[in-house]
């Protein structure tokens, strides 16, 4: 009898995303940054009736949210239309209009924390020191700002403040794989790790009573849980997972317990670690990847958890060990079973390096035989088993999606991650080709039916693969990818510049320059013979619009088939639903057109 | 220290409204019709995690929602942009695009219920019988529609169907105060009350096992709970409240218990009545007015409850007697204490009739000394202690609001309600003047600082008071009010026409015609000397646009100061947030302008 039509894949567009999470001191309320109503805003929820109510009506992304411990305000950091220049605002506790707290045109503020009484706000900013940043404390009572430190050597961000505000920790980055941290106390500063001169990472720093607790890969390939004792100056390894890297740490001081997220390739695991004994217990969880762990004074854990077939939601791990969902973001009309869970595949690359990739296979009854190759962004990031509405959208139209975690990806140790540094265009590109060849050899894709789509570094890789290996692909989509590594290196935000040399290379160094030219997509214009779609946000501060402009112009001058979409009110990503819908629809139309037309 | 600015009253605009409620058979889900995201749609909630998710993305008002007992669909009735021609659609159980079930251009469908297995849909429609309507059952398996009855004598709506579908009840209206009901069984029909020829009301009909239970004022002035036994044909009074009228009945069959809402003037009371013994228990509740009572098989009660300072929310009365809020709609930035609770005042009218009114007094520190007189719509309705964002918006700007329940209002017995019938313009108008004079005599308002604003019948009353008593008011705002009772009587929907004679009068009857002219605002154009704002929805099926057009044109021809706003995509009320905001802002600007200018 009753046969309702299959859901329209476009319904996926309206799946809300949760971008951030805050928990009030008394754990009666949480706040989520979400595009629940189509545009991003801060929404509140009372835990005794977890139904969301609007806290702001700005239509902008809240980059940080923090409840005043005394309940007098909620601090929210908004940028404007994707420019990433987050400014600090206060809003009334029950929501309302934003009230400027710390703002500076064209500069950004990185909120750290407040004092325990909420009267002082701790943050970093590039407003006085565009390259290395400074840290500040702003006193709400006096209205005065005091500089805590001036960054040096590398961009230096305030990451933790002790309860009594007598000490704080800064993190200084020289590269994504080289970030050290210092404890500042009584005018002195001391490294949390014994030898800050050896490249390693310190991350997720928290004061835990008399100790400072953090994740580090100091003298190791993966990040483990460690501590620094300010009294004795001693560094100590607390606990290392058998496999994987510690990426998030949330400490419950009273019980000296840490909840620790461990990244194992494309999935995360959750552990509870006793800080005193270093013993750890693995906890099961109803999601595959997680982020933003917060522990309340009660000992309850709050986090964002997602799976490839279930959107990110706020979950609470209650004291009795049960997981309670606090939000229920879901794709309208789709159950998790209607969506695709990725296969996790492994294979050797051109040089024998073992690679992991996600293969999303459409339901057999709708498969169209075409495969979209997706090089992820970053490059020091990874494609993981989180919810990707773009992938699921493609899958519902019958496309297969293949996302290899090429060398340089996170989740496979620091050595692997470093392999992309100063080598953006050779090893990772060959990994992509080796991945495609493996997929074809397995009979999992058809050589004549490959598309290439990527964003950010993935857009760069798309352009480069197009320029150097066009024969593989029917058509390519570049979403805000750098096209010219020389101009790209010069146009990134000021405070990225110190890390560019190790990450990418220095255009002023002749040897580097030669490599950057060799690895720049724009060097291979002649090879870019396939139809291309380029998508760019006008306010993108990471990959500026000139990167897309120049490749589009150069290709059009050669008479190539290039469609170009610029969103005037977007940055590096889609934060406005109507833009996202347009980008996805036009990408689908582009793929479909080139699926049916142009025989290889 | 920290002083955040007072909330902007415009934040009230964004307070979501819940228009309707449905509960799934197994009580695991509810659906709400709400403008949560700015436009109306159906949203779902799972009771194990009561966080809303979108069921539809239509931007239209769901006029009915019903869960298939077998979980295969959700039935939703949408009209289009306020035209009130609700059409029946099915959507997938987890939401999605609407799938037409019963649609007919320019006609409407009134959903009644489904069969217990969800395979048959029961409804009425004006599609084959525009004046008296017909009832139908549509079989989802065969795709066939069968006519259950053809309405006669008055517009006849299907209101209840027995579990075994062997019998059903129709309600036939001759007036708002004269609506009878019949049980149809085996080709026969029998009145639920002993003498259908005596004017009385039958409402809220439910099958309760072997009985039919309903509210009626048969041989009484207020509605009480009664039953009809189809086996014996006997009518029985079950329970009557000490004071007030039964307006909603929800029966839990298994325990033979009814939850009963009793309207006592401006507030509601809730009772639990044992249908076998007629004993009743008054239940306390955390709201002042309620609607849409539903009892689940579990015995839990679900309803919409609101107060003047708290928006309508879905509440569940659990089996242990505790109230649990399932939604938390709230005005952004305002606590209930920031908003105004009305004083309930009583006074005699011109002829000694006792009137009740709501007086909303602004916080003293922001009072501006001006009073807005608000005649409510209906007229057989009432101003009650529910949430009125328009009133609270005015109050936050310092205006006082005075809303008298003139004769004809509901909540004061059938005799009182009938007093407006065939007398739209005399008694109620004199009540309004007597109310204003009482307010002035009490020193509660300033004679030189009165405005007049009303919608629908309240718009009519605004126009009439303006025409006949202009000296009282500085300026008037008419929101879709009839201006000419002759043209109004001819332009209402077809199925209203049978009740027009008793409700208003017959323009074709010479005596009625004379009275309708005497009571038409347009007769008093000369008196309309004060500035006026007229607001109208182009699709309004109740008070058609010609009603506003003609008065605006006539006044403009006389050179009067009339501002006219027409919303192209609205009907009788504001269902689109942006329109509502524009209407309220412009009303406020209009009042403010005439507050400061024109000295009396």
């Amino acid at each position: 009898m009753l046969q309702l039509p299959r859901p329209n894949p476009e319904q996926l567009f309206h799946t809300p995303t949760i971008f951030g999470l805050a928990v009030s001191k008394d754990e009666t309320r949480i706040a989520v940054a979400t595009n629940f109503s189509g545009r991003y805003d801060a929404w509140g929820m009372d835990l005794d009736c977890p139904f969301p109510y609007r806290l702001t009506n700005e239509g902008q992304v809240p980059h940080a949210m923090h409840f005043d411990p005394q309940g007098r305000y909620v601090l929210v950091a908004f940028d404007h239309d994707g420019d990433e220049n987050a400014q600090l605002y206060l809003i009334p506790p029950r929501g309302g209009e934003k009230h400027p707290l710390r703002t500076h045109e064209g500069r950004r503020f990185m909120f750290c924390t407040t004092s325990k009484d909420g009267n002082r706000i701790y943050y970093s900013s590039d407003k006085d020191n565009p390259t290395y940043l400074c840290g500040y404390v702003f006193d709400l009572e006096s209205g005065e700002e005091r500089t805590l430190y001036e960054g040096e050597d590398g961009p230096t961000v305030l990451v933790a403040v002790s309860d009594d505000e007598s000490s704080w920790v800064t993190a200084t980055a020289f590269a994504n794989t080289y970030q050290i941290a210092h404890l500042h106390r009584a005018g002195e500063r001391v490294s949390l790790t014994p030898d800050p001169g050896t490249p390693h990472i310190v991350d997720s720093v928290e004061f835990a009573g008399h100790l400072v607790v953090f994740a580090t890969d100091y003298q190791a390939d993966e990040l483990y849980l460690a501590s620094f004792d300010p009294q004795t100056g001693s560094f100590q390894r607390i606990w290392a997972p058998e496999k994987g890297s510690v990426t998030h740490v949330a400490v419950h001081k009273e019980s000296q317990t840490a909840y620790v997220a461990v990244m194992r390739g494309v999935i995360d695991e959750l552990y509870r670690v006793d800080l005193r004994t270093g013993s750890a217990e693995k906890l099961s969880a109803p999601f595959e990847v997680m982020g933003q762990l917060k522990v309340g004074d009660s000992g309850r854990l709050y986090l964002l958890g997602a799976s490839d077939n279930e959107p990110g939601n706020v979950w609470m791990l209650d004291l009795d060990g049960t997981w309670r969902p606090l939000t229920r973001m879901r794709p309208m009309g789709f159950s998790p079973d209607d969506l695709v869970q990725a296969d996790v595949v492994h294979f050797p690359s051109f040089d024998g390096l073992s690679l992991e990739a996600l293969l999303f296979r459409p339901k057999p009854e709708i498969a169209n035989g075409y495969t979209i190759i997706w090089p992820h962004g970053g490059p020091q990031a990874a494609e993981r088993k989180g919810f990707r509405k773009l992938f699921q959208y493609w899958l519902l139209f019958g496309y297969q999606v293949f996302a290899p975690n090429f060398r340089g990806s996170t989740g496979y140790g620091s050595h692997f991650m470093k392999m992309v540094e100063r080598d953006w265009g050779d090893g990772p590109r060959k990994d992509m080709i080796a991945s495609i060849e493996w997929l074809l050899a397995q009979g999992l894709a058809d050589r004549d039916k490959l598309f290439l789509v990527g964003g950010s570094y993935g857009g760069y890789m798309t352009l480069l693969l197009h320029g150097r290996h066009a024969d593989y692909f029917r058509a390519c989509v570049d979403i805000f990818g750098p096209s010219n590594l020389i101009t790209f290196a010069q146009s990134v935000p000021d405070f990225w510049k110190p890390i560019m040399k190790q990450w990418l290379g220095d255009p002023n160094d002749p040897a580097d320059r030669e490599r950057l030219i060799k690895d720049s997509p724009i060097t291979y214009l002649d090879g870019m013979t396939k139809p291309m779609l380029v998508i760019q946000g006008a306010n993108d501060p990471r990959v500026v619009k000139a990167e897309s402009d120049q490749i589009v112009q150069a290709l059009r001058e050669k008479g190539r088939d290039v469609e170009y979409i610029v969103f005037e009110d977007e940055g590096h990503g889609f934060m406005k639903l109507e833009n996202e819908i347009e980008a996805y629809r036009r990408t689908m139309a582009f793929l479909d057109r080139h699926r049916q037309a142009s025989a290889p």
Side-chain angles (χ1 to χ4, degrees), chain A:
Chain A
M1 47 157 281
L2 188 62
Q3 265 299 349
L4 292 178
R6 299 172 67 93
N8 182 337
E10 291 207 348
Q11 291 170 201
L12 285 173
F13 294 155
H14 298 278
T15 310
T17 300
I18 301 179
F19 192 85
L21 165 69
V23 182
S24 72
K25 174 79 175 158
D26 61 7
E27 294 171 67
T28 59
R29 301 174 72 195
I30 67 169
V32 287
T34 177
N35 58 351
F36 194 46
S37 67
R39 303 206 144 214
Y40 276 94
D41 263 302
W43 289 73
M45 276 169 57
D46 301 340
L47 289 191
D48 67 348
C49 172
F51 189 92
Y53 50 84
R54 188 182 279 284
L55 288 175
T56 65
N57 194 20
E58 302 294 329
Q60 300 288 347
V61 178
H63 286 270
M65 297 181 302
H66 187 87
F67 286 96
D68 173 26
Q70 294 194 57
R72 299 159 300 178
Y73 61 81
V74 183
L75 183 145
V76 183
F78 284 111
D79 77 340
H80 183 74
D81 285 351
D83 68 6
E84 298 186 21
N85 290 322
Q87 315 280 304
L88 304 184
Y89 301 93
L90 300 186
I91 58 167
R94 297 178 71 95
E97 293 177 341
K98 66 185 200 289
H99 179 73
L101 177 70
R102 304 308 295 155
T103 62
H104 194 293
E105 170 99 35
R107 292 296 167 187
R108 68 184 67 195
F109 295 83
M110 292 90 151
F111 172 72
C112 175
T113 189
T114 66
S115 56
K116 294 294 137 191
D117 63 5
N119 289 347
R120 285 164 302 287
I121 315 286
Y122 288 85
Y123 53 96
S124 331
S125 175
D126 59 350
K127 68 190 170 78
D128 300 315
N129 188 347
T131 305
Y132 298 135
L133 319 182
C134 294
Y136 307 89
V137 56
F138 180 81
D139 190 309
L140 289 173
E141 293 197 338
S142 68
E144 280 170 19
E145 176 181 86
R146 185 163 59 86
T147 302
L148 293 176
Y149 67 86
E150 297 188 22
E152 47 189 297
D153 305 330
T156 302
V157 176
L158 187 63
V159 294
V161 178
S162 68
D163 278 4
D164 66 3
E165 298 166 74
S166 67
S167 48
W168 58 84
V169 176
T170 56
T172 302
F174 307 109
N176 291 331
T177 50
Y178 189 2
Q179 173 174 288
I180 56 172
H182 292 92
L183 179 81
H184 300 238
R185 194 174 48 165
E188 313 235 305
R189 55 168 230 166
V190 50
S191 170
L192 297 191
T193 44
D195 178 11
T198 314
H200 63 272
I201 299 170
V202 176
D203 203 359
S204 281
V205 181
E206 288 218 23
F207 281 91
H210 69 291
L211 293 177
V212 181
V213 171
F214 49 93
T216 186
D217 63 349
Y218 181 72
Q219 293 185 329
D221 190 49
E222 303 248 41
L223 284 89
Y224 53 88
L225 190 66
S227 69
F228 176 79
D229 185 336
Q231 305 302 321
T232 63
S234 75
F235 166 86
Q236 204 172 353
R237 182 194 202 99
I238 299 176
W239 172 76
E242 232 170 81
K243 191 155 188 280
S245 277
V246 170
T247 51
H248 296 87
V249 179
V251 170
H252 185 237
K253 288 172 194 169
E254 196 187 311
S255 64
Q256 287 288 298
T257 302
Y259 287 92
V260 173
V262 173
M263 184 182 195
R264 279 188 68 165
V266 297
I267 58 148
D268 285 325
E269 292 175 347
L270 179 66
Y271 291 85
R272 180 164 41 212
V273 180
D274 185 323
L275 293 175
R276 291 161 300 204
T277 65
S279 66
E281 173 192 6
K282 186 177 169 193
L283 304 173
S284 66
F287 37 77
E288 291 175 301
V289 297
M290 69 189 100
Q292 306 209 30
L293 281 65
K294 322 258 180 196
V295 180
D297 289 347
S298 69
R300 290 182 184 86
L301 177 68
Y302 304 83
L303 54 74
L304 285 175
S307 300
D308 37 17
N309 61 342
E310 292 201 71
N313 276 295
V314 181
W315 291 85
M316 182 179 83
L317 178 61
D318 215 336
L319 300 178
D320 62 2
T322 59
W323 285 101
R324 182 176 152 205
L326 299 183
T327 62
R328 187 148 284 181
M329 302 300 185
R330 62 198 307 183
M332 184 172 71
F334 295 96
S335 73
D337 289 345
D338 297 327
L339 303 178
V340 173
Q341 289 190 281
D343 293 339
V344 183
V345 295
H346 299 88
F347 48 85
S349 189
F350 67 96
D351 58 355
L353 184 72
S354 175
L355 297 182
E356 185 171 66
L358 292 177
L359 178 62
F360 295 83
R361 308 175 76 162
K363 309 270 173 187
E365 62 275 21
I366 52 169
N368 67 12
Y370 288 79
T371 298
I372 296 169
I373 308 296
W374 173 267
H376 66 71
Q380 287 167 321
E383 199 55 52
R384 314 192 67 228
K385 280 174 77 69
F387 186 71
R388 274 272 195 193
K389 58 183 170 183
L390 179 56
F391 288 6
Q392 298 292 344
Y393 174 64
W394 286 336
L395 287 157
L396 287 168
F397 279 101
Y399 289 91
Q400 174 171 261
V401 181
F402 182 53
N405 281 334
F406 48 81
R407 66 192 63 200
S409 300
T410 48
Y412 308 99
S414 301
H415 174 71
F416 191 92
M417 186 177 167
K418 282 177 188 157
M419 292 174 89
V420 74
E421 291 177 355
R422 302 174 62 79
D423 177 21
W424 279 35
D426 195 61
R429 175 177 53 83
K430 291 175 179 162
D431 285 342
M432 287 302 302
I433 294 299
S435 301
I436 294 168
E437 287 292 352
W438 174 84
L439 190 71
L440 295 170
Q442 302 300 307
L444 291 169
D446 182 335
R447 190 177 286 275
D448 295 332
K449 296 183 174 175
L450 302 181
F451 288 105
L452 179 61
V453 185
S456 193
Y457 176 89
Y460 157 81
M461 180 55 69
T462 293
L463 293 172
L464 188 65
L465 287 168
H466 186 194
R468 301 190 66 173
H469 309 270
D471 286 352
Y472 278 98
F473 313 106
R474 294 174 77 87
C476 308
V477 182
D478 156 38
I479 308 170
F480 39 70
S483 66
N484 179 331
L485 296 182
I486 305 289
T487 54
F488 169 68
Q490 287 156 348
S491 63
V492 296
D494 284 340
F495 68 94
W496 284 25
K497 289 184 177 158
I499 72 161
M500 290 306 281
K501 190 173 167 59
Q502 186 176 334
W503 192 39
L504 175 63
D506 178 0
N508 299 318
D509 174 308
D512 280 6
R513 189 176 181 86
E514 192 182 330
R515 181 174 46 74
L516 293 178
I517 292 170
K518 184 173 78 66
D519 285 348
S520 283
I522 205 154
T523 304
Y524 304 95
L525 287 174
D526 285 341
M528 296 186 190
T529 54
K530 299 299 173 74
M532 198 152 70
L533 169 64
V534 177
I535 301 175
Q536 175 74 44
N539 303 328
D540 192 334
R542 304 188 184 206
V543 178
V544 299
K545 181 166 166 284
E547 290 299 310
S548 292
D549 285 350
Q550 61 183 296
I551 190 97
V552 168
Q553 194 189 334
L555 287 169
R556 285 184 173 165
E557 280 168 6
K558 288 183 176 288
R560 303 289 165 72
D561 176 4
V562 186
E563 186 180 340
Y564 189 29
I565 309 174
V566 176
F567 291 104
E568 292 303 327
D569 56 351
E570 292 285 6
H572 200 69
F574 301 112
M575 293 303 179
K576 307 282 194 311
L577 184 59
E578 63 273 23
N579 295 335
E580 189 174 30
I581 289 175
E582 189 187 343
Y584 290 3
R585 275 190 187 151
R586 288 179 67 175
T587 299
M588 178 59 71
F590 176 84
L591 296 177
D592 279 353
R593 203 160 58 239
H594 295 294
R595 178 157 64 90
Q596 289 142 12
S598 67

